[in-house]
Amino acid sequence: MKRSEINQLLRDAEACFIAHGWAVPPNPEWDVTDFGLGDWRRYGLVLINLAQEPEYCEKVMYAKRGMTCPNHCHAKKKEDIICRWGELCVRVWPGRPDRHLGEHFRLSLSGKLSEVAGGDSIRLRAGERVTLCPGTYHEFWSESPECIIGEVSTANDDVGDNFFLDPNVGRFPEVVEDEAPRFRLVSDAP
């Protein structure tokens, strides 16, 4: 990703957060990723770590329509993915998608246990959430022009507990420095 694209996404995210009542915390831990795939318009997210504690984590994320968080699961982390503003789609499987397409399983939608099938897309409107247990494969994207996404989870380990279906997925983008950074990103740390 070009640094100028990262800077613009940060401006867009910040403006969306502020316009919809989400105060950006002091000294935010900004994270912008294209998941190492080189196409942030198709695979990308802007994230802020709000809390990163040994027992729990909270994030707020921003996506434009077309930006997808690629299919993955966690071995340890249980998480709620929450639509904070806009419309969000979350596609789920009870295990590896190639082995569990169409398989029925139960998960919590806004606190109510529901039956879904592997590969189903769950549409979330502002305030709605889906609870994902370890081993549940999922991908998500914005259905609206912009979306604010929340995540509340057990302890977060982006390096050791993200298992992406596509082996080419990486956690951070390769950055081309075509202008000065607007903010220091998590991936800019030495």
Side-chain angles (χ1 to χ4, degrees), residues 71-144:
N71 204 331
H72 67 288
C73 75
H74 310 284
K76 299 176 186 172
K77 182 168 81 169
K78 180 179 181 179
E79 63 186 326
D80 276 4
I81 302 294
I82 309 151
C83 182
R84 296 291 189 189
W85 184 82
E87 282 192 38
L88 180 68
C89 250
V90 182
R91 187 174 296 140
V92 295
W93 293 264
R96 285 188 58 88
D98 55 343
R99 298 182 194 140
H100 297 277
L101 184 63
E103 182 179 318
H104 290 265
F105 68 109
R106 294 170 70 84
L107 52 71
S108 179
L109 298 175
S110 298
K112 181 182 175 190
L113 208 54
S114 300
E115 186 168 309
V116 297
D120 280 358
S121 293
I122 300 162
R123 184 178 300 259
L124 301 175
R125 288 177 174 64
E128 296 177 332
R129 65 186 168 95
V130 60
T131 302
L132 303 170
C133 292
T136 303
Y137 274 82
H138 56 286
E139 61 187 358
F140 56 89
W141 62 90
S142 176
E143 282 288 306
S144 49

